[in-house]
Amino acid sequence: GENVEQHPSTLSVQEGDSAVIKCTYSDSASNYFPWYKQELGKRPQLIIDIRSNVGEKKDQRIAVTLNKTAKHFSLHITETQPEDSAVYFCAAIQYNAGNMLTFGGGTRLMVKP
Amino acid sequence: EAGVTQFPSHSVIEKGQTVTLRCDPISGHDNLYWYRRVMGKEIKFLLHFVKESKQDESGMPNNRFLAERTGGTYSTLKVQPAELEDSGVYFCASSRSSRASTDTQYFGPGTRLTVL
């Protein structure tokens, strides 16, 4: 089955700096890669996603890149703000085994003011 | 539109007791999923309903877990009898179409289950 690895598990940055979180996946048939942000005590919320026919997608301060050949994708947050502090999860759809999301282990991002 | 709701938000029970978690998906969403996050690890898939039918229950840990979705609306997940390792946060998610594999899954706030 699909396996998603996520690094780092914790990341501390200064406000205004950039943050990068990386994920690798094992199933080359996976074709959809969402990123979820979970603030303390709240529900995971989709912040950006990318499909396998696209190499990069941007939405204001966040961007995701996908390298299908290497089977890895990354989340980039620029000009970080304290409200970006949360746990971020990457995920992949296991294409041939239904619609279930396979998640990475999560990254706790702390943005210091 | 109202989001996915889950009840209760927290549940503390003793080993051997029974607990039933409820999930109300977004209205009109055919797909309903249950996931679980244990001890700060990754969120893991439990099962997937399409309307009232179980599409995939490969993630269910054992036969102490029973999920239902009568009438294709809300779903319940019952744990009987609960064991210590069942502690964690149980998330429900829903998505709209039963045809597209890439429809966004919207998550509920989760139920934090603690088994003592």
Side-chain angles (χ1 to χ4, degrees), chain A residues 31-32 36 38 43-44 46 51 89 93 95 97 99-101 103-105, chain B residues 4 31 33 35 37 42-43 45 48 56 91 100-102 104-105 107-109:
Chain A
N31 64 352
Y32 174 64
Y36 285 85
Q38 187 181 18
R43 71 189 68 206
L46 180 73
R51 287 167 170 75
F89 294 96
I93 285 285
Y95 181 72
N99 296 350
M100 64 183 183
L101 290 168
F103 284 91
Chain B
V4 177
N31 294 286
Y33 309 83
Y35 294 88
R37 189 180 189 205
E42 72 269 28
I43 301 171
F45 168 80
H48 170 208
D56 181 354
F91 290 105
S101 67
T102 57
T104 299
Q105 293 188 26
F107 278 74

PDB file of all heavy atoms in Angstrom, chain A residues 31-32 36 38 43-44 46 51 89 93 95 97 99-101 103-105, chain B residues 4 31 33 35 37 42-43 45 48 56 91 100-102 104-105 107-109:
ATOM      1  N   ASN A  31      -2.237  10.286  -7.425  1.00  0.00           N
ATOM      2  CA  ASN A  31      -2.404  11.402  -8.359  1.00  0.00           C
ATOM      3  C   ASN A  31      -2.976  12.659  -7.730  1.00  0.00           C
ATOM      4  O   ASN A  31      -3.292  13.618  -8.423  1.00  0.00           O
ATOM      5  CB  ASN A  31      -3.286  10.966  -9.534  1.00  0.00           C
ATOM      6  CG  ASN A  31      -4.698  10.625  -9.099  1.00  0.00           C
ATOM      7  OD1 ASN A  31      -4.995  10.560  -7.918  1.00  0.00           O
ATOM      8  ND2 ASN A  31      -5.556  10.406 -10.074  1.00  0.00           N
ATOM      9  N   TYR A  32      -3.120  12.674  -6.403  1.00  0.00           N
ATOM     10  CA  TYR A  32      -3.671  13.859  -5.747  1.00  0.00           C
ATOM     11  C   TYR A  32      -3.007  14.007  -4.390  1.00  0.00           C
ATOM     12  O   TYR A  32      -2.938  13.037  -3.628  1.00  0.00           O
ATOM     13  CB  TYR A  32      -5.191  13.707  -5.606  1.00  0.00           C
ATOM     14  CG  TYR A  32      -5.863  14.808  -4.821  1.00  0.00           C
ATOM     15  CD1 TYR A  32      -5.853  16.123  -5.279  1.00  0.00           C
ATOM     16  CD2 TYR A  32      -6.514  14.530  -3.633  1.00  0.00           C
ATOM     17  CE1 TYR A  32      -6.475  17.121  -4.558  1.00  0.00           C
ATOM     18  CE2 TYR A  32      -7.136  15.522  -2.912  1.00  0.00           C
ATOM     19  CZ  TYR A  32      -7.116  16.828  -3.375  1.00  0.00           C
ATOM     20  OH  TYR A  32      -7.731  17.813  -2.670  1.00  0.00           O
ATOM     21  N   TYR A  36      -2.990  19.635   4.663  1.00  0.00           N
ATOM     22  CA  TYR A  36      -3.932  20.074   5.681  1.00  0.00           C
ATOM     23  C   TYR A  36      -3.182  20.788   6.799  1.00  0.00           C
ATOM     24  O   TYR A  36      -2.075  20.396   7.175  1.00  0.00           O
ATOM     25  CB  TYR A  36      -4.697  18.875   6.262  1.00  0.00           C
ATOM     26  CG  TYR A  36      -5.768  18.320   5.354  1.00  0.00           C
ATOM     27  CD1 TYR A  36      -5.452  17.389   4.362  1.00  0.00           C
ATOM     28  CD2 TYR A  36      -7.098  18.729   5.480  1.00  0.00           C
ATOM     29  CE1 TYR A  36      -6.439  16.878   3.530  1.00  0.00           C
ATOM     30  CE2 TYR A  36      -8.084  18.211   4.643  1.00  0.00           C
ATOM     31  CZ  TYR A  36      -7.741  17.293   3.676  1.00  0.00           C
ATOM     32  OH  TYR A  36      -8.725  16.797   2.841  1.00  0.00           O
ATOM     33  N   GLN A  38      -3.654  21.931  10.794  1.00  0.00           N
ATOM     34  CA  GLN A  38      -4.468  21.736  11.983  1.00  0.00           C
ATOM     35  C   GLN A  38      -3.958  22.625  13.096  1.00  0.00           C
ATOM     36  O   GLN A  38      -2.880  22.389  13.653  1.00  0.00           O
ATOM     37  CB  GLN A  38      -4.476  20.280  12.437  1.00  0.00           C
ATOM     38  CG  GLN A  38      -5.458  20.034  13.576  1.00  0.00           C
ATOM     39  CD  GLN A  38      -5.480  18.609  14.068  1.00  0.00           C
ATOM     40  OE1 GLN A  38      -4.568  17.825  13.830  1.00  0.00           O
ATOM     41  NE2 GLN A  38      -6.557  18.245  14.750  1.00  0.00           N
ATOM     42  N   ARG A  43     -10.109  21.501  13.664  1.00  0.00           N
ATOM     43  CA  ARG A  43     -10.140  20.439  12.670  1.00  0.00           C
ATOM     44  C   ARG A  43      -9.054  20.632  11.628  1.00  0.00           C
ATOM     45  O   ARG A  43      -8.648  21.760  11.348  1.00  0.00           O
ATOM     46  CB  ARG A  43     -11.505  20.414  11.977  1.00  0.00           C
ATOM     47  CG  ARG A  43     -11.772  21.602  11.034  1.00  0.00           C
ATOM     48  CD  ARG A  43     -13.210  21.609  10.568  1.00  0.00           C
ATOM     49  NE  ARG A  43     -14.115  21.893  11.650  1.00  0.00           N
ATOM     50  CZ  ARG A  43     -15.382  21.496  11.691  1.00  0.00           C
ATOM     51  NH1 ARG A  43     -15.887  20.812  10.682  1.00  0.00           N
ATOM     52  NH2 ARG A  43     -16.162  21.790  12.703  1.00  0.00           N
ATOM     53  N   PRO A  44      -8.565  19.556  11.018  1.00  0.00           N
ATOM     54  CA  PRO A  44      -7.651  19.707   9.877  1.00  0.00           C
ATOM     55  C   PRO A  44      -8.379  20.418   8.736  1.00  0.00           C
ATOM     56  O   PRO A  44      -9.511  20.064   8.401  1.00  0.00           O
ATOM     57  CB  PRO A  44      -7.310  18.257   9.504  1.00  0.00           C
ATOM     58  CG  PRO A  44      -7.628  17.456  10.712  1.00  0.00           C
ATOM     59  CD  PRO A  44      -8.778  18.152  11.367  1.00  0.00           C
ATOM     60  N   LEU A  46      -7.995  21.881   4.707  1.00  0.00           N
ATOM     61  CA  LEU A  46      -7.236  21.878   3.464  1.00  0.00           C
ATOM     62  C   LEU A  46      -6.723  23.280   3.177  1.00  0.00           C
ATOM     63  O   LEU A  46      -7.488  24.243   3.210  1.00  0.00           O
ATOM     64  CB  LEU A  46      -8.130  21.415   2.320  1.00  0.00           C
ATOM     65  CG  LEU A  46      -7.476  21.368   0.941  1.00  0.00           C
ATOM     66  CD1 LEU A  46      -6.518  20.192   0.853  1.00  0.00           C
ATOM     67  CD2 LEU A  46      -8.528  21.278  -0.161  1.00  0.00           C
ATOM     68  N   ARG A  51      -2.454  18.255  -8.141  1.00  0.00           N
ATOM     69  CA  ARG A  51      -2.729  17.032  -8.885  1.00  0.00           C
ATOM     70  C   ARG A  51      -1.511  16.643  -9.694  1.00  0.00           C
ATOM     71  O   ARG A  51      -0.654  17.474  -9.993  1.00  0.00           O
ATOM     72  CB  ARG A  51      -3.964  17.224  -9.754  1.00  0.00           C
ATOM     73  CG  ARG A  51      -5.244  17.242  -8.917  1.00  0.00           C
ATOM     74  CD  ARG A  51      -6.476  17.732  -9.645  1.00  0.00           C
ATOM     75  NE  ARG A  51      -7.685  17.508  -8.877  1.00  0.00           N
ATOM     76  CZ  ARG A  51      -8.059  18.209  -7.816  1.00  0.00           C
ATOM     77  NH1 ARG A  51      -7.305  19.179  -7.375  1.00  0.00           N
ATOM     78  NH2 ARG A  51      -9.190  17.923  -7.177  1.00  0.00           N
ATOM     79  N   PHE A  89      -0.079  18.523   7.742  1.00  0.00           N
ATOM     80  CA  PHE A  89      -0.071  17.140   7.265  1.00  0.00           C
ATOM     81  C   PHE A  89      -0.086  17.114   5.743  1.00  0.00           C
ATOM     82  O   PHE A  89      -0.912  17.777   5.117  1.00  0.00           O
ATOM     83  CB  PHE A  89      -1.312  16.379   7.745  1.00  0.00           C
ATOM     84  CG  PHE A  89      -1.381  16.165   9.225  1.00  0.00           C
ATOM     85  CD1 PHE A  89      -2.111  17.025  10.030  1.00  0.00           C
ATOM     86  CD2 PHE A  89      -0.737  15.092   9.812  1.00  0.00           C
ATOM     87  CE1 PHE A  89      -2.194  16.827  11.394  1.00  0.00           C
ATOM     88  CE2 PHE A  89      -0.808  14.885  11.185  1.00  0.00           C
ATOM     89  CZ  PHE A  89      -1.535  15.762  11.973  1.00  0.00           C
ATOM     90  N   ILE A  93      -3.493  10.389  -2.258  1.00  0.00           N
ATOM     91  CA  ILE A  93      -4.594   9.476  -2.567  1.00  0.00           C
ATOM     92  C   ILE A  93      -3.986   8.205  -3.124  1.00  0.00           C
ATOM     93  O   ILE A  93      -3.195   8.247  -4.082  1.00  0.00           O
ATOM     94  CB  ILE A  93      -5.563  10.094  -3.583  1.00  0.00           C
ATOM     95  CG1 ILE A  93      -6.433  11.157  -2.946  1.00  0.00           C
ATOM     96  CG2 ILE A  93      -6.437   9.018  -4.207  1.00  0.00           C
ATOM     97  CD1 ILE A  93      -7.534  10.622  -2.073  1.00  0.00           C
ATOM     98  N   TYR A  95      -4.456   5.799  -5.385  1.00  0.00           N
ATOM     99  CA  TYR A  95      -5.328   5.828  -6.547  1.00  0.00           C
ATOM    100  C   TYR A  95      -6.037   4.514  -6.818  1.00  0.00           C
ATOM    101  O   TYR A  95      -7.223   4.462  -7.064  1.00  0.00           O
ATOM    102  CB  TYR A  95      -4.495   6.221  -7.772  1.00  0.00           C
ATOM    103  CG  TYR A  95      -5.278   6.318  -9.045  1.00  0.00           C
ATOM    104  CD1 TYR A  95      -6.155   7.358  -9.264  1.00  0.00           C
ATOM    105  CD2 TYR A  95      -5.144   5.365 -10.044  1.00  0.00           C
ATOM    106  CE1 TYR A  95      -6.881   7.455 -10.428  1.00  0.00           C
ATOM    107  CE2 TYR A  95      -5.859   5.451 -11.213  1.00  0.00           C
ATOM    108  CZ  TYR A  95      -6.728   6.496 -11.401  1.00  0.00           C
ATOM    109  OH  TYR A  95      -7.440   6.579 -12.544  1.00  0.00           O
ATOM    110  N   ALA A  97      -6.684   2.057  -4.870  1.00  0.00           N
ATOM    111  CA  ALA A  97      -7.296   1.390  -3.716  1.00  0.00           C
ATOM    112  C   ALA A  97      -8.381   2.250  -3.095  1.00  0.00           C
ATOM    113  O   ALA A  97      -8.608   2.177  -1.895  1.00  0.00           O
ATOM    114  CB  ALA A  97      -6.217   1.043  -2.686  1.00  0.00           C
ATOM    115  N   ASN A  99     -10.573   5.934  -2.313  1.00  0.00           N
ATOM    116  CA  ASN A  99     -10.410   7.361  -2.084  1.00  0.00           C
ATOM    117  C   ASN A  99      -9.767   7.711  -0.760  1.00  0.00           C
ATOM    118  O   ASN A  99      -9.785   8.855  -0.359  1.00  0.00           O
ATOM    119  CB  ASN A  99     -11.784   8.035  -2.150  1.00  0.00           C
ATOM    120  CG  ASN A  99     -12.396   7.907  -3.520  1.00  0.00           C
ATOM    121  OD1 ASN A  99     -11.751   7.484  -4.462  1.00  0.00           O
ATOM    122  ND2 ASN A  99     -13.666   8.234  -3.633  1.00  0.00           N
ATOM    123  N   MET A 100      -9.226   6.767  -0.047  1.00  0.00           N
ATOM    124  CA  MET A 100      -8.689   7.077   1.265  1.00  0.00           C
ATOM    125  C   MET A 100      -7.391   7.863   1.155  1.00  0.00           C
ATOM    126  O   MET A 100      -6.564   7.632   0.268  1.00  0.00           O
ATOM    127  CB  MET A 100      -8.422   5.801   2.051  1.00  0.00           C
ATOM    128  CG  MET A 100      -7.357   4.905   1.462  1.00  0.00           C
ATOM    129  SD  MET A 100      -7.199   3.423   2.428  1.00  0.00           S
ATOM    130  CE  MET A 100      -5.857   2.628   1.589  1.00  0.00           C
ATOM    131  N   LEU A 101      -7.238   8.818   2.061  1.00  0.00           N
ATOM    132  CA  LEU A 101      -6.012   9.592   2.157  1.00  0.00           C
ATOM    133  C   LEU A 101      -5.001   8.838   3.002  1.00  0.00           C
ATOM    134  O   LEU A 101      -5.331   8.309   4.059  1.00  0.00           O
ATOM    135  CB  LEU A 101      -6.302  10.950   2.808  1.00  0.00           C
ATOM    136  CG  LEU A 101      -7.117  11.944   1.990  1.00  0.00           C
ATOM    137  CD1 LEU A 101      -7.567  13.100   2.862  1.00  0.00           C
ATOM    138  CD2 LEU A 101      -6.323  12.445   0.803  1.00  0.00           C
ATOM    139  N   PHE A 103      -1.716   9.684   5.069  1.00  0.00           N
ATOM    140  CA  PHE A 103      -1.105  10.883   5.611  1.00  0.00           C
ATOM    141  C   PHE A 103       0.347  10.663   5.992  1.00  0.00           C
ATOM    142  O   PHE A 103       0.760   9.558   6.368  1.00  0.00           O
ATOM    143  CB  PHE A 103      -1.846  11.338   6.872  1.00  0.00           C
ATOM    144  CG  PHE A 103      -3.154  12.013   6.605  1.00  0.00           C
ATOM    145  CD1 PHE A 103      -4.327  11.289   6.543  1.00  0.00           C
ATOM    146  CD2 PHE A 103      -3.220  13.387   6.426  1.00  0.00           C
ATOM    147  CE1 PHE A 103      -5.544  11.904   6.297  1.00  0.00           C
ATOM    148  CE2 PHE A 103      -4.433  14.019   6.184  1.00  0.00           C
ATOM    149  CZ  PHE A 103      -5.589  13.283   6.113  1.00  0.00           C
ATOM    150  N   GLY A 104       1.106  11.741   5.929  1.00  0.00           N
ATOM    151  CA  GLY A 104       2.412  11.773   6.556  1.00  0.00           C
ATOM    152  C   GLY A 104       2.240  11.966   8.054  1.00  0.00           C
ATOM    153  O   GLY A 104       1.126  12.185   8.542  1.00  0.00           O
ATOM    154  N   GLY A 105       3.348  11.914   8.784  1.00  0.00           N
ATOM    155  CA  GLY A 105       3.291  11.962  10.233  1.00  0.00           C
ATOM    156  C   GLY A 105       3.028  13.334  10.823  1.00  0.00           C
ATOM    157  O   GLY A 105       2.804  13.451  12.027  1.00  0.00           O
TER     158      GLY A 105
ATOM    159  N   VAL B   4     -18.626  19.489   8.649  1.00  0.00           N
ATOM    160  CA  VAL B   4     -18.772  18.169   9.245  1.00  0.00           C
ATOM    161  C   VAL B   4     -18.800  18.331  10.762  1.00  0.00           C
ATOM    162  O   VAL B   4     -17.976  19.060  11.334  1.00  0.00           O
ATOM    163  CB  VAL B   4     -17.601  17.253   8.840  1.00  0.00           C
ATOM    164  CG1 VAL B   4     -17.709  15.895   9.520  1.00  0.00           C
ATOM    165  CG2 VAL B   4     -17.537  17.114   7.323  1.00  0.00           C
ATOM    166  N   ASN B  31     -19.701  10.599   0.106  1.00  0.00           N
ATOM    167  CA  ASN B  31     -18.585   9.890   0.727  1.00  0.00           C
ATOM    168  C   ASN B  31     -18.410  10.297   2.176  1.00  0.00           C
ATOM    169  O   ASN B  31     -18.436  11.491   2.502  1.00  0.00           O
ATOM    170  CB  ASN B  31     -17.283  10.197  -0.009  1.00  0.00           C
ATOM    171  CG  ASN B  31     -17.286   9.661  -1.419  1.00  0.00           C
ATOM    172  OD1 ASN B  31     -17.169   8.463  -1.637  1.00  0.00           O
ATOM    173  ND2 ASN B  31     -17.420  10.553  -2.384  1.00  0.00           N
ATOM    174  N   TYR B  33     -15.819   9.249   5.523  1.00  0.00           N
ATOM    175  CA  TYR B  33     -14.613   8.523   5.922  1.00  0.00           C
ATOM    176  C   TYR B  33     -14.425   8.646   7.429  1.00  0.00           C
ATOM    177  O   TYR B  33     -14.727   9.674   8.023  1.00  0.00           O
ATOM    178  CB  TYR B  33     -13.371   9.123   5.257  1.00  0.00           C
ATOM    179  CG  TYR B  33     -13.471   9.297   3.763  1.00  0.00           C
ATOM    180  CD1 TYR B  33     -14.092  10.408   3.219  1.00  0.00           C
ATOM    181  CD2 TYR B  33     -12.931   8.353   2.895  1.00  0.00           C
ATOM    182  CE1 TYR B  33     -14.188  10.580   1.851  1.00  0.00           C
ATOM    183  CE2 TYR B  33     -13.010   8.518   1.521  1.00  0.00           C
ATOM    184  CZ  TYR B  33     -13.644   9.636   1.010  1.00  0.00           C
ATOM    185  OH  TYR B  33     -13.734   9.796  -0.345  1.00  0.00           O
ATOM    186  N   TYR B  35     -11.212   8.336  10.161  1.00  0.00           N
ATOM    187  CA  TYR B  35      -9.766   8.270  10.351  1.00  0.00           C
ATOM    188  C   TYR B  35      -9.485   8.324  11.841  1.00  0.00           C
ATOM    189  O   TYR B  35     -10.320   8.742  12.643  1.00  0.00           O
ATOM    190  CB  TYR B  35      -9.063   9.462   9.682  1.00  0.00           C
ATOM    191  CG  TYR B  35      -9.125   9.521   8.175  1.00  0.00           C
ATOM    192  CD1 TYR B  35     -10.188  10.156   7.527  1.00  0.00           C
ATOM    193  CD2 TYR B  35      -8.115   8.963   7.391  1.00  0.00           C
ATOM    194  CE1 TYR B  35     -10.236  10.232   6.136  1.00  0.00           C
ATOM    195  CE2 TYR B  35      -8.152   9.041   6.008  1.00  0.00           C
ATOM    196  CZ  TYR B  35      -9.216   9.672   5.394  1.00  0.00           C
ATOM    197  OH  TYR B  35      -9.250   9.738   4.014  1.00  0.00           O
ATOM    198  N   ARG B  37      -6.174   9.278  14.747  1.00  0.00           N
ATOM    199  CA  ARG B  37      -4.807   9.671  15.039  1.00  0.00           C
ATOM    200  C   ARG B  37      -4.501   9.206  16.463  1.00  0.00           C
ATOM    201  O   ARG B  37      -5.148   9.637  17.415  1.00  0.00           O
ATOM    202  CB  ARG B  37      -4.591  11.181  14.909  1.00  0.00           C
ATOM    203  CG  ARG B  37      -3.118  11.550  14.990  1.00  0.00           C
ATOM    204  CD  ARG B  37      -2.856  13.023  14.879  1.00  0.00           C
ATOM    205  NE  ARG B  37      -1.412  13.266  14.741  1.00  0.00           N
ATOM    206  CZ  ARG B  37      -0.814  14.391  15.090  1.00  0.00           C
ATOM    207  NH1 ARG B  37      -1.514  15.392  15.591  1.00  0.00           N
ATOM    208  NH2 ARG B  37       0.489  14.523  14.938  1.00  0.00           N
ATOM    209  N   GLU B  42       0.683   9.581  12.760  1.00  0.00           N
ATOM    210  CA  GLU B  42      -0.027  10.035  11.575  1.00  0.00           C
ATOM    211  C   GLU B  42      -1.506   9.706  11.672  1.00  0.00           C
ATOM    212  O   GLU B  42      -1.921   8.823  12.420  1.00  0.00           O
ATOM    213  CB  GLU B  42       0.567   9.406  10.303  1.00  0.00           C
ATOM    214  CG  GLU B  42       0.283   7.926  10.120  1.00  0.00           C
ATOM    215  CD  GLU B  42       1.365   7.055  10.723  1.00  0.00           C
ATOM    216  OE1 GLU B  42       2.014   7.502  11.689  1.00  0.00           O
ATOM    217  OE2 GLU B  42       1.527   5.936  10.225  1.00  0.00           O
ATOM    218  N   ILE B  43      -2.288  10.435  10.911  1.00  0.00           N
ATOM    219  CA  ILE B  43      -3.719  10.168  10.800  1.00  0.00           C
ATOM    220  C   ILE B  43      -3.872   8.951   9.890  1.00  0.00           C
ATOM    221  O   ILE B  43      -3.369   8.938   8.767  1.00  0.00           O
ATOM    222  CB  ILE B  43      -4.452  11.380  10.208  1.00  0.00           C
ATOM    223  CG1 ILE B  43      -4.232  12.624  11.087  1.00  0.00           C
ATOM    224  CG2 ILE B  43      -5.937  11.083  10.048  1.00  0.00           C
ATOM    225  CD1 ILE B  43      -4.743  13.926  10.470  1.00  0.00           C
ATOM    226  N   PHE B  45      -6.344   5.949   8.052  1.00  0.00           N
ATOM    227  CA  PHE B  45      -7.651   5.614   7.508  1.00  0.00           C
ATOM    228  C   PHE B  45      -8.248   4.419   8.238  1.00  0.00           C
ATOM    229  O   PHE B  45      -7.560   3.443   8.539  1.00  0.00           O
ATOM    230  CB  PHE B  45      -7.479   5.291   6.019  1.00  0.00           C
ATOM    231  CG  PHE B  45      -8.668   4.650   5.369  1.00  0.00           C
ATOM    232  CD1 PHE B  45      -9.754   5.418   4.969  1.00  0.00           C
ATOM    233  CD2 PHE B  45      -8.692   3.283   5.146  1.00  0.00           C
ATOM    234  CE1 PHE B  45     -10.843   4.827   4.341  1.00  0.00           C
ATOM    235  CE2 PHE B  45      -9.777   2.681   4.516  1.00  0.00           C
ATOM    236  CZ  PHE B  45     -10.852   3.465   4.120  1.00  0.00           C
ATOM    237  N   HIS B  48     -14.429   3.750   4.708  1.00  0.00           N
ATOM    238  CA  HIS B  48     -15.034   4.661   3.741  1.00  0.00           C
ATOM    239  C   HIS B  48     -16.422   4.152   3.368  1.00  0.00           C
ATOM    240  O   HIS B  48     -16.575   2.989   2.978  1.00  0.00           O
ATOM    241  CB  HIS B  48     -14.119   4.733   2.504  1.00  0.00           C
ATOM    242  CG  HIS B  48     -14.707   5.436   1.316  1.00  0.00           C
ATOM    243  ND1 HIS B  48     -14.324   5.109   0.024  1.00  0.00           N
ATOM    244  CD2 HIS B  48     -15.609   6.440   1.212  1.00  0.00           C
ATOM    245  CE1 HIS B  48     -14.978   5.888  -0.824  1.00  0.00           C
ATOM    246  NE2 HIS B  48     -15.758   6.691  -0.127  1.00  0.00           N
ATOM    247  N   ASP B  56     -14.823   0.545   1.634  1.00  0.00           N
ATOM    248  CA  ASP B  56     -13.496   0.059   1.996  1.00  0.00           C
ATOM    249  C   ASP B  56     -13.386   0.116   3.516  1.00  0.00           C
ATOM    250  O   ASP B  56     -13.525   1.189   4.089  1.00  0.00           O
ATOM    251  CB  ASP B  56     -12.423   0.943   1.344  1.00  0.00           C
ATOM    252  CG  ASP B  56     -11.001   0.499   1.651  1.00  0.00           C
ATOM    253  OD1 ASP B  56     -10.793  -0.425   2.466  1.00  0.00           O
ATOM    254  OD2 ASP B  56     -10.077   1.087   1.058  1.00  0.00           O
ATOM    255  N   PHE B  91     -11.369  11.111  13.635  1.00  0.00           N
ATOM    256  CA  PHE B  91     -11.853  12.127  12.714  1.00  0.00           C
ATOM    257  C   PHE B  91     -12.813  11.514  11.713  1.00  0.00           C
ATOM    258  O   PHE B  91     -12.626  10.394  11.244  1.00  0.00           O
ATOM    259  CB  PHE B  91     -10.686  12.747  11.926  1.00  0.00           C
ATOM    260  CG  PHE B  91      -9.778  13.612  12.743  1.00  0.00           C
ATOM    261  CD1 PHE B  91      -8.524  13.154  13.123  1.00  0.00           C
ATOM    262  CD2 PHE B  91     -10.156  14.893  13.104  1.00  0.00           C
ATOM    263  CE1 PHE B  91      -7.668  13.948  13.860  1.00  0.00           C
ATOM    264  CE2 PHE B  91      -9.306  15.697  13.844  1.00  0.00           C
ATOM    265  CZ  PHE B  91      -8.055  15.218  14.232  1.00  0.00           C
ATOM    266  N   ALA B 100     -15.484  10.934  -8.491  1.00  0.00           N
ATOM    267  CA  ALA B 100     -14.152  11.525  -8.611  1.00  0.00           C
ATOM    268  C   ALA B 100     -13.299  11.181  -7.402  1.00  0.00           C
ATOM    269  O   ALA B 100     -13.685  11.446  -6.276  1.00  0.00           O
ATOM    270  CB  ALA B 100     -14.250  13.041  -8.753  1.00  0.00           C
ATOM    271  N   SER B 101     -12.145  10.635  -7.617  1.00  0.00           N
ATOM    272  CA  SER B 101     -11.286  10.262  -6.496  1.00  0.00           C
ATOM    273  C   SER B 101     -10.592  11.463  -5.883  1.00  0.00           C
ATOM    274  O   SER B 101     -10.000  11.351  -4.834  1.00  0.00           O
ATOM    275  CB  SER B 101     -10.244   9.244  -6.942  1.00  0.00           C
ATOM    276  OG  SER B 101      -9.332   9.848  -7.848  1.00  0.00           O
ATOM    277  N   THR B 102     -10.643  12.621  -6.528  1.00  0.00           N
ATOM    278  CA  THR B 102      -9.870  13.750  -6.024  1.00  0.00           C
ATOM    279  C   THR B 102     -10.749  14.838  -5.430  1.00  0.00           C
ATOM    280  O   THR B 102     -10.320  15.963  -5.283  1.00  0.00           O
ATOM    281  CB  THR B 102      -9.011  14.347  -7.144  1.00  0.00           C
ATOM    282  OG1 THR B 102      -9.868  14.728  -8.216  1.00  0.00           O
ATOM    283  CG2 THR B 102      -7.993  13.347  -7.645  1.00  0.00           C
ATOM    284  N   THR B 104     -12.304  17.096  -2.654  1.00  0.00           N
ATOM    285  CA  THR B 104     -11.766  17.516  -1.366  1.00  0.00           C
ATOM    286  C   THR B 104     -12.483  16.799  -0.232  1.00  0.00           C
ATOM    287  O   THR B 104     -13.711  16.710  -0.221  1.00  0.00           O
ATOM    288  CB  THR B 104     -11.924  19.029  -1.192  1.00  0.00           C
ATOM    289  OG1 THR B 104     -11.190  19.687  -2.222  1.00  0.00           O
ATOM    290  CG2 THR B 104     -11.418  19.483   0.164  1.00  0.00           C
ATOM    291  N   GLN B 105     -11.716  16.299   0.710  1.00  0.00           N
ATOM    292  CA  GLN B 105     -12.283  15.719   1.916  1.00  0.00           C
ATOM    293  C   GLN B 105     -12.273  16.788   3.008  1.00  0.00           C
ATOM    294  O   GLN B 105     -11.223  17.346   3.332  1.00  0.00           O
ATOM    295  CB  GLN B 105     -11.480  14.490   2.353  1.00  0.00           C
ATOM    296  CG  GLN B 105     -11.612  13.333   1.369  1.00  0.00           C
ATOM    297  CD  GLN B 105     -10.983  12.058   1.860  1.00  0.00           C
ATOM    298  OE1 GLN B 105     -10.843  11.815   3.057  1.00  0.00           O
ATOM    299  NE2 GLN B 105     -10.603  11.196   0.924  1.00  0.00           N
ATOM    300  N   PHE B 107     -12.887  17.754   6.876  1.00  0.00           N
ATOM    301  CA  PHE B 107     -12.795  17.051   8.152  1.00  0.00           C
ATOM    302  C   PHE B 107     -13.665  17.675   9.231  1.00  0.00           C
ATOM    303  O   PHE B 107     -13.899  18.890   9.254  1.00  0.00           O
ATOM    304  CB  PHE B 107     -11.336  17.038   8.635  1.00  0.00           C
ATOM    305  CG  PHE B 107     -10.519  15.955   7.993  1.00  0.00           C
ATOM    306  CD1 PHE B 107     -10.119  16.075   6.668  1.00  0.00           C
ATOM    307  CD2 PHE B 107     -10.185  14.817   8.694  1.00  0.00           C
ATOM    308  CE1 PHE B 107      -9.384  15.065   6.052  1.00  0.00           C
ATOM    309  CE2 PHE B 107      -9.448  13.803   8.100  1.00  0.00           C
ATOM    310  CZ  PHE B 107      -9.053  13.930   6.777  1.00  0.00           C
ATOM    311  N   GLY B 108     -14.113  16.810  10.130  1.00  0.00           N
ATOM    312  CA  GLY B 108     -14.773  17.267  11.332  1.00  0.00           C
ATOM    313  C   GLY B 108     -13.739  17.616  12.391  1.00  0.00           C
ATOM    314  O   GLY B 108     -12.535  17.395  12.191  1.00  0.00           O
ATOM    315  N   PRO B 109     -14.186  18.120  13.538  1.00  0.00           N
ATOM    316  CA  PRO B 109     -13.255  18.537  14.588  1.00  0.00           C
ATOM    317  C   PRO B 109     -12.658  17.374  15.370  1.00  0.00           C
ATOM    318  O   PRO B 109     -11.707  17.558  16.131  1.00  0.00           O
ATOM    319  CB  PRO B 109     -14.114  19.417  15.494  1.00  0.00           C
ATOM    320  CG  PRO B 109     -15.500  18.895  15.288  1.00  0.00           C
ATOM    321  CD  PRO B 109     -15.580  18.445  13.860  1.00  0.00           C
TER     322      PRO B 109
END
